[in-house]
Amino acid sequence: MPRARILSRGEALELNSTMTSVDYSIPPVRHRIAITATVTKVRRLSPLMQRLTFKASEFVGQEAISCADTYMKIVLPDPTNSDEPVMRSYTVRSHDSVAGTVDIDFALHGQGGVAAPWAERAQVGDTAEFKGIGGGYNPSAQAPWHLLIGDDSALPAIAAAVEQLGEDSGKVVILIADSPEELLGDGDAFSPPEGSEVQVVSHTPAVIEAVRSAYASHEGVPHVFLHGEASMVREVRRVIRSDFAQDLKAMSVSGYWRAGASDERWREMKRDWSRGVEADEAKLAGVSTS
């Protein structure tokens, strides 16, 4: 099978309309829960990442934690309003179903926001309430190779997916950070197995360059995981769809957050972001949205 090359707009339109669908997707997981868990361990993994281990009897044998991108909704105090807690979604980095523990890695962004300052101050013995479990991605064993792209917010899911794949399948990981040390530390946040190609780049154009290089050097349709800051995600998604005709069912794509916006503000903006993605698809299909 020939390696991928960048397609012209006409070629992309024709290929998207005629190619056989590749489907690596899984049914989404959604469960309501009400679990109060206790922090049993606190560990700084890197300048950007803090790991908290939570323990609860309900985590023993918890089958809903089944995806590489499994997230749980955690209830946190709002520093601006003590009467109204807020919820944030965080990826489960690992789950010990026998011990009844989960590890959650928090991306630290200074003292702004809600979750990062809380996680940075957390101590053994603190408690937190969890309200929901969800997920929708596991790396497909049918894919000839895997392309995983994300920033610090997506690192826990990327790390879980790569570890799930082990050493046998091709894995290209593109991470966004100012430096490898800032994000990964000494490797505690993510220690990829043999056979993984890992790059750390600092901006979206470098991500796109790395994506094009990955397609040029690998064969077949990859399973793509693209999560992180919304503007980056949309721009990279547009390139993957237009230049390589990547099948939608062979992609897991999500804007986790938006630069300059609070989580609440991003939720309000996300509908407009989704409309923008739809406009990208319409343009790819040659359909006017005016």
Side-chain angles (χ1 to χ4, degrees):
M1 185 181 294
R3 289 180 173 85
R5 63 181 177 84
I6 299 175
L7 303 176
S8 68
R9 175 172 166 76
E11 289 174 320
L13 285 170
E14 181 178 358
L15 185 55
N16 270 280
S17 65
T18 60
M19 70 183 296
T20 301
S21 176
V22 176
D23 188 352
Y24 299 141
S25 64
I26 63 172
V29 173
R30 300 288 185 273
H31 288 279
R32 291 186 178 182
I33 58 172
I35 296 174
T36 299
T38 301
V39 176
T40 59
K41 190 174 182 180
V42 179
R43 185 180 180 191
R44 178 61 66 89
L45 304 176
S46 74
L48 278 181
M49 306 299 293
Q50 175 107 323
R51 176 172 297 167
L52 302 184
T53 299
F54 296 90
K55 184 178 180 66
S57 60
E58 293 90 342
F59 292 150
V60 175
Q62 179 57 254
E63 296 181 355
I65 303 176
S66 58
C67 302
D69 69 339
T70 293
Y71 62 85
M72 296 201 301
K73 293 183 179 294
I74 182 172
V75 181
L76 298 169
D78 185 344
T80 66
N81 185 350
S82 60
D83 295 328
E84 292 291 336
V86 297
M87 272 202 300
R88 295 290 186 265
S89 296
Y90 273 85
T91 302
V92 174
R93 176 61 179 84
S94 63
H95 171 221
D96 187 329
S97 64
V98 176
T101 62
V102 297
D103 286 342
I104 296 181
D105 292 356
F106 292 81
L108 305 177
H109 302 286
Q111 292 303 309
V114 174
W118 179 87
E120 200 159 17
R121 294 191 303 267
Q123 299 179 3
V124 171
D126 289 350
T127 60
E129 188 176 3
F130 294 91
K131 287 290 190 182
I133 297 177
Y137 163 80
N138 272 322
S140 173
Q142 304 305 313
W145 63 288
H146 297 261
L147 178 59
L148 303 102
I149 306 162
D151 53 25
D152 50 3
S153 67
L155 178 61
I158 289 173
V162 170
E163 290 169 4
Q164 189 179 121
L165 285 165
E167 299 181 3
D168 293 334
S169 62
K171 299 167 289 296
V172 177
V173 179
I174 304 169
L175 302 171
I176 301 97
D178 288 338
S179 71
E181 294 76 21
E182 178 187 57
L183 181 61
L184 304 177
D186 294 329
D188 291 333
F190 176 40
S191 182
E194 292 293 327
S196 306
E197 303 171 39
V198 180
Q199 303 176 60
V200 178
V201 299
S202 60
H203 50 76
T204 300
V207 174
I208 292 172
E209 181 180 352
V211 165
R212 287 177 169 151
S213 177
Y215 274 93
S217 58
H218 291 79
E219 298 181 354
V221 179
H223 195 178
V224 174
F225 181 87
L226 170 59
H227 292 223
E229 198 281 324
S231 298
M232 178 279 295
V233 167
R234 182 182 171 190
E235 190 170 346
V236 174
R237 180 192 185 281
R238 187 187 300 125
V239 169
I240 290 174
R241 287 283 292 142
S242 65
D243 289 6
F244 304 104
Q246 177 75 25
D247 197 288
L248 289 172
K249 292 183 178 180
M251 303 174 70
S252 172
V253 179
S254 181
Y256 279 166
W257 62 286
R258 182 66 177 262
S262 67
D263 194 72
E264 285 74 21
R265 178 61 180 144
W266 167 230
R267 291 177 200 172
E268 296 171 358
M269 299 167 64
K270 199 163 187 178
R271 184 171 295 179
D272 289 338
W273 181 83
S274 297
R275 281 196 285 261
V277 171
E278 291 170 2
D280 294 341
E281 285 297 309
K283 184 176 181 180
L284 180 61
V287 176
S288 174
T289 57
S290 59

